[in-house]
Amino acid sequence: MDNVNSRCELREKYLKAMNLISSKNVEVELFEKAVVSGRLEIVRPDGSHILLSKMVTPIGVHEQAVLRSNDVVLMRTSFKDLDFPPFVSNCSQSLNEVQIDHHKVCEYQSLTVYEKRRVKEKKRDEIERIVPLLRTIRDIRPFSSFVDIGSGLGHLTRAIVSSIPHLAVRGVEGSEELVERAMELDEKRSEKRVERMKVWVDAHSKELLADDDAVCVGGLHACGDLGPSILRLALSQSTVSACLLFGCCYHKMNGGRDKLYRQEWEGVEEEMSSENGFPMSEEWKDVKLSYAARELACHSKSAYVKQLREKGVNHMHHCVRAMGELLIEKVGGGRHIGLRGVTMKRIERSEDVLEWMDRAMIDHPLLKKNIKEKAGMD
């Protein structure tokens, strides 16, 4: 019954989305990299076919054409003509009024030798693009201070304070250990000082910005519910001129409470926010994304596509480990039990779960025996 209800819910959301873009010009990407465009006229109630008018193809224009939904890989349309709720339309109009020089947005500023030390390449590349972007935002929406929430070791704040003059920079971090390490790095690598604060931030931490006249609130790799909390905090304060936010770990939103086989530590009570990280909007409060869907949003699609296209890359070992961990969980073995690392080079057959288990569970012989007995794998 649950499966039927889920399918009905997905069908309803699909038809609502298609209704929103009906009578709009769309671009449709089909299999074999074929692309056509036209006006979306109607969708069959069962979602199996769509009707386009004035369909433009590489070989000509068709007055009307019916496409099978199964052949559609992607559908694009312009957001300008969609009938969004008023608050979304107002936001879109405000954005259209802001003129941004796209060349400035794409500027790149190299970090100094000291700023690059012990900074991972990915984060270094992000920081080198964020600093000039912050200058551009400041030209549009002036602010006198920048507050980095979840500042960690302070790599971003040090780059900003050394690159943008007359800007007060504050780093806010909930971990006392990270605050202390950030201050040690400040002493070694930065001539100007960043104000460091140990504060556990949520949407109600309004006192954090109480003394600021005009402030930009930011967060680089704001994990899980921290991103939505920063947004709620920024929206609640009239002194916030801009918000520069880069979220991550979307699967941890809502406390990750919907995770399958979620680890629960004995004697540890987790603090759960009463406000969900997703969805934030009252308008879309009934929209749901599974834990797996939110986790997929954290990964780079281009990286996976590249790996899939490379010859000789075997992804079966991911499947084998997943099957093994599922068996461990099914017999009550729990998670985080300490498995040995196993490479596929050491396994004769890449799909051999038994051989993976023999190597990965060397430190857990009784549990391994129990799994094999219950699963009938002897």
Side-chain angles (χ1 to χ4, degrees):
M1 189 64 183
D2 290 340
N3 187 39
V4 173
N5 290 337
S6 298
R7 290 176 64 86
C8 290
E9 186 179 352
L10 286 172
R11 176 68 56 80
E12 180 185 2
K13 290 175 181 177
Y14 168 75
L15 292 175
K16 282 182 177 179
M18 298 305 289
N19 182 61
L20 184 65
I21 63 175
S22 63
S23 302
K24 304 294 189 295
N25 292 323
V26 297
E27 183 181 79
V28 182
E29 184 177 325
L30 305 171
F31 286 105
E32 302 299 331
K33 299 183 179 180
V35 178
V36 299
S37 61
R39 179 185 172 95
L40 179 64
E41 297 294 348
I42 194 170
V43 181
R44 284 194 61 172
D46 62 0
S48 61
H49 294 78
I50 61 176
L51 173 65
L52 295 184
S53 63
K54 304 292 183 182
M55 188 178 80
V56 180
T57 73
I59 60 174
V61 179
H62 300 271
E63 283 299 316
Q64 287 190 330
V66 176
L67 301 179
R68 294 188 308 174
S69 298
N70 287 342
D71 294 332
V72 176
V73 177
L74 184 66
M75 187 180 296
R76 302 182 184 90
T77 189
S78 171
F79 283 91
K80 293 181 180 179
D81 302 325
L82 297 186
D83 299 323
F84 281 121
F87 70 93
V88 178
S89 300
N90 293 339
C91 178
S92 177
Q93 182 177 357
S94 300
L95 289 174
N96 289 333
E97 293 172 356
V98 176
Q99 298 298 318
I100 297 179
D101 186 339
H102 293 281
H103 294 290
K104 286 187 177 181
V105 172
C106 297
E107 282 182 358
Y108 187 90
Q109 176 181 312
S110 295
L111 300 179
T112 66
V113 175
Y114 287 104
E115 290 168 344
K116 288 181 179 179
R117 286 183 179 176
R118 297 186 181 179
V119 182
K120 293 181 179 179
E121 184 178 354
K122 177 176 179 290
K123 178 169 281 190
R124 187 171 66 216
D125 184 66
E126 291 167 339
I127 293 173
E128 290 175 333
R129 296 178 187 275
I130 289 173
V131 173
L133 176 59
L134 195 62
R135 288 200 195 95
T136 302
I137 295 174
R138 196 183 185 196
D139 292 339
I140 301 168
R141 302 294 300 272
F143 50 86
S144 57
S145 59
F146 176 80
V147 178
D148 182 15
I149 298 177
S151 56
L153 295 175
H155 299 308
L156 175 61
T157 50
R158 274 188 296 276
I160 292 173
V161 78
S162 63
S163 303
I164 303 179
H166 311 299
L167 180 66
V169 180
R170 192 155 75 246
V172 179
E173 172 58 50
S175 167
E176 185 172 357
E177 179 184 355
L178 290 179
V179 171
E180 291 176 355
R181 289 177 63 188
M183 294 176 68
E184 291 175 1
L185 291 173
D186 288 347
E187 293 287 339
K188 297 177 181 178
R189 303 182 189 177
S190 179
E191 295 180 0
K192 298 179 181 179
R193 291 291 172 261
V194 176
E195 182 184 352
R196 302 285 177 194
M197 301 175 62
K198 179 191 174 298
V199 179
W200 188 264
V201 176
D202 59 25
H204 307 289
S205 305
K206 297 181 180 180
E207 69 284 351
L208 183 67
L209 308 174
D211 299 329
D212 293 288
D213 295 328
V215 59
C216 176
V217 178
L220 176 57
H221 299 173
C223 184
D225 289 321
L226 179 59
S229 293
I230 292 174
L231 281 176
R232 288 191 171 101
L233 179 62
L235 290 169
S236 68
Q237 298 295 97
S238 59
T239 57
V240 176
S241 299
C243 181
L244 187 63
L245 180 63
F246 300 85
C248 71
C249 302
Y250 306 114
H251 53 296
K252 294 182 181 179
M253 285 179 171
N254 308 339
R257 295 186 290 269
D258 55 344
K259 180 179 181 180
L260 188 64
Y261 307 121
R262 183 170 175 270
Q263 179 70 44
E264 295 182 1
W265 303 99
E266 186 176 350
V268 176
E269 294 184 5
E270 296 186 38
E271 294 184 7
M272 295 294 183
S273 171
S274 59
E275 297 177 300
N276 279 344
F278 178 88
M280 293 179 63
S281 168
E282 181 69 19
E283 184 75 21
W284 306 101
K285 63 182 179 181
D286 295 327
V287 174
K288 295 180 181 179
L289 283 178
S290 66
Y291 182 96
R294 299 197 308 275
E295 185 171 21
L296 281 173
C298 303
H299 298 285
S300 168
K301 181 183 73 171
S302 58
Y304 277 100
V305 170
K306 182 180 178 182
Q307 288 184 14
L308 289 171
R309 288 177 175 172
E310 288 179 355
K311 294 182 179 179
V313 177
N314 187 354
H315 294 273
M316 183 58 72
H317 63 282
H318 294 301
C319 180
V320 170
R321 183 182 176 99
M323 291 170 63
E325 290 187 349
L326 183 62
L327 287 171
I328 293 171
E329 187 67 40
K330 287 290 187 182
V331 300
R335 295 176 64 84
H336 309 293
I337 63 172
L339 298 172
R340 294 284 186 94
V342 181
T343 63
M344 287 299 104
K345 292 179 180 179
R346 300 181 63 184
I347 296 181
E348 293 181 3
R349 294 172 57 203
S350 62
E351 70 275 14
D352 196 333
V353 180
L354 277 176
E355 190 171 354
W356 174 87
M357 197 174 293
D358 285 336
R359 294 181 180 277
M361 300 182 66
I362 290 177
D363 302 321
H364 306 279
L366 294 179
L367 179 60
K368 181 170 61 176
K369 181 180 177 181
N370 190 22
I371 291 173
K372 290 183 177 181
E373 289 176 352
K374 290 189 176 182
M377 298 172 70
D378 285 326

